[in-house]
């Protein structure tokens, strides 16, 4: 089946099968949050990005193999509602951006800074700190050696724009600057973008619109 990245709450997950990594996307909760289960194909180790809501659905998706770790992209409550339950059930190690960890009510085992690596089995993800939506939001970049990169952006980049900065011009300038420098400036157009809500996109689809985002200020 061809991966589309189009999922709905209560509906089936969608699976993106790469050579070394399987990415399972599922939508949960009243704010239509995306959670991503990453599975190393060589070792079967699993990592969850954002235990957002509906712990039973997430644990059912994780299955009997469990998970080694959970990464929370940022401190907003809709991205960690199921975190305590998932960690309790799996014993997973928790990761979050250094500046946002104090705002997450489940203790963070590993504080993540810009450029740090997070591993799932033999697969390496690189964290990018993107400030503005929250002080310590992180994106995770998988530079697939067999194809194009993949980036999990939390609420920092969506189809059509960057994340909400609450009409704060300084926060918007910081977020857009970080996204331009660390995401658009570092990765090719083919890069697949997996956001914290809604459908996926690619950097090539969004790049032509960067001047519009600057001009509108959100």
């Amino acid at each position: 089946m061809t991966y589309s990245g189009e999922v709905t709450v209560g509906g089936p997950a969608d699976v993106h099968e790469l050579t070394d990594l399987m990415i399972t996307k599922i939508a949960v909760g009243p704010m239509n949050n995306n959670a991503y289960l990453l599975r190393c194909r060589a070792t079967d180790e699993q990592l969850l990005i954002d235990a957002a809501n509906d712990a039973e659905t997430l644990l059912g998706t994780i299955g009997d193999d469990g998970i080694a770790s959970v990464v929370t992209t940022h401190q907003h409550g809709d991205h960690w509602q199921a975190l305590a339950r998932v960690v309790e059930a799996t014993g997973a190690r928790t990761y979050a951006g250094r500046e946002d960890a104090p705002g997450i009510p489940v203790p963070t085992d590993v504080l993540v800074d810009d450029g740090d690596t997070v591993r799932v089995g033999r697969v390496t993800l690189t964290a990018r700190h993107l400030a503005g939506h929250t002080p310590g939001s992180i994106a995770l970049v998988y530079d697939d050696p067999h194809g194009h990169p993949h980036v999990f952006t939390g609420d920092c980049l969506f189809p059509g724009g960057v994340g909400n900065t609450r009409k704060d011009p300084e926060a918007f300038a910081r977020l857009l600057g970080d996204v331009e420098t660390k995401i658009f400036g570092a990765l090719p157009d083919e890069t697949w973008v997996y956001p914290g809500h809604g459908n996926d996109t690619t950097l090539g689809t969004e790049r032509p619109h960067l001047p519009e985002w600057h001009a509108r200020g959100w």
Side-chain angles (χ1 to χ4, degrees):
M1 296 292 290
T2 300
Y3 174 79
S4 69
E6 297 178 6
V7 293
T8 57
V9 176
D14 199 4
V15 181
H16 204 168
E17 297 197 30
L18 309 178
T19 302
D20 296 336
L21 187 69
M22 290 182 61
I23 302 167
T24 300
K25 177 180 181 178
I26 191 164
V28 292
M31 296 185 71
N32 192 35
N33 285 75
N34 295 326
Y36 299 94
L37 181 66
L38 279 54
R39 186 182 188 99
C40 171
R41 301 186 75 149
T43 67
D44 287 331
E45 184 172 296
Q46 296 190 117
L47 174 152
L48 180 67
I49 298 175
D50 283 344
N53 207 304
D54 195 351
E56 295 309 315
T57 293
L58 294 180
L59 291 170
T61 303
I62 290 165
D64 294 338
D65 289 341
I67 51 173
S69 48
V70 183
V71 178
T72 302
T73 58
H74 63 288
Q75 64 179 294
H76 286 160
D78 59 307
H79 289 260
W80 48 253
Q81 291 295 314
L83 182 59
R85 176 74 181 90
V86 168
V87 169
E88 179 186 22
T90 64
R93 195 166 177 82
T94 55
Y95 292 72
R98 182 176 299 274
E99 293 84 353
D100 270 20
I104 299 169
V106 177
T108 299
D109 296 317
V110 181
L111 299 174
V112 180
D113 295 310
D114 189 57
D116 285 354
T117 57
V118 179
R119 297 187 63 85
V120 50
R122 298 180 187 171
V123 171
T124 299
L125 310 170
T126 301
R128 302 317 311 251
H129 175 213
L130 306 172
H133 180 67
T134 65
S137 290
I138 55 171
L140 294 175
V141 179
Y142 171 50
D143 193 358
D144 186 353
H146 308 285
H148 55 74
H150 300 255
V151 57
F152 302 87
T153 57
D155 283 2
C156 288
L157 177 63
F158 297 97
V162 296
N164 185 6
T165 54
R166 298 160 295 282
K167 299 182 179 179
D168 180 337
E170 185 175 328
F172 171 74
R174 177 69 188 275
L175 179 57
L176 185 53
D178 277 359
V179 166
E180 283 189 301
T181 301
K182 298 177 182 180
I183 304 298
F184 284 98
L187 300 170
D189 283 351
E190 296 77 16
T191 302
W192 197 279
V193 176
Y194 305 83
H197 305 262
N199 292 338
D200 299 354
T201 187
T202 66
L203 292 187
T205 300
E206 306 304 324
R207 196 184 302 273
H209 302 288
L210 285 169
E212 300 170 27
W213 303 354
H214 274 281
R216 75 189 186 195
W218 58 272

